[in-house]
Amino acid sequence: MHPWGQWQWPLLICAPERALLELLGELPKEDSFHDVDLLVEGRVDLSPRRMQRLLEQAHSIKVKRLFLFFAERPSHRRLAHVAEDRIDLDKGKRMLVIGGKLDPKYQITVPAAIPGD
């Protein structure tokens, strides 16, 4: 809770880790992979311990796979401290982008090229 406005109304604000997972849930409808990639690259304050707990509790397979996909990108290696073996990724392929390429590790389709690769 964070006091906001002239009357100090209570405003509920997500932790950065949860906000990132909520953003991934909207991908690719609301934002582009490039935008999310840049956002994740700039987030140096994400807690691996908190991310681990949230990923273990998350119900969305898409969100978990996308997070791990972005965490493995070279500029985001600090997120690699999350223990993937404790996260249920289910089975089967997920198509997120029509005409994209299949990421063989996480079985999700992503854009053929993300700017900055």
Side-chain angles (χ1 to χ4, degrees), residues 24-80:
L24 291 174
E26 297 296 320
L27 196 64
K29 290 178 266 180
E30 300 297 326
D31 288 289
S32 73
F33 275 77
H34 177 62
D35 292 342
V36 173
D37 189 47
L38 292 174
L39 179 76
V40 173
E41 182 178 0
R43 295 309 313 219
V44 296
D45 60 342
L46 298 176
S47 162
R49 193 172 334 140
R50 194 174 302 150
M51 284 306 310
Q52 182 74 47
R53 186 170 34 91
L54 288 170
L55 288 166
E56 288 176 20
Q57 295 172 356
H59 297 286
S60 172
I61 300 301
K62 168 189 158 181
V63 166
K64 294 188 261 189
R65 290 184 188 188
L66 276 171
F67 173 81
L68 294 169
F69 169 79
F70 281 110
E72 281 201 344
R73 296 190 40 85
S75 56
H76 314 318
R77 293 301 302 165
R78 69 187 170 283
L79 300 177

Side-chain angles (χ1 to χ4, degrees), residues 6-18:
Q6 178 180 354
W7 293 279
Q8 300 294 301
W9 290 322
L11 180 65
L12 183 62
I13 299 175
C14 287
E17 295 82 4
R18 183 177 177 116

Side-chain angles (χ1 to χ4, degrees), residues 27-29 31-33 62 66 69 94-102 108-114:
L27 196 64
K29 290 178 266 180
D31 288 289
S32 73
F33 275 77
K62 168 189 158 181
L66 276 171
F69 169 79
R94 303 292 197 274
M95 184 170 65
L96 305 180
V97 177
I98 295 172
K101 67 176 182 178
L102 180 69
I108 55 175
T109 56
V110 296
I114 298 175

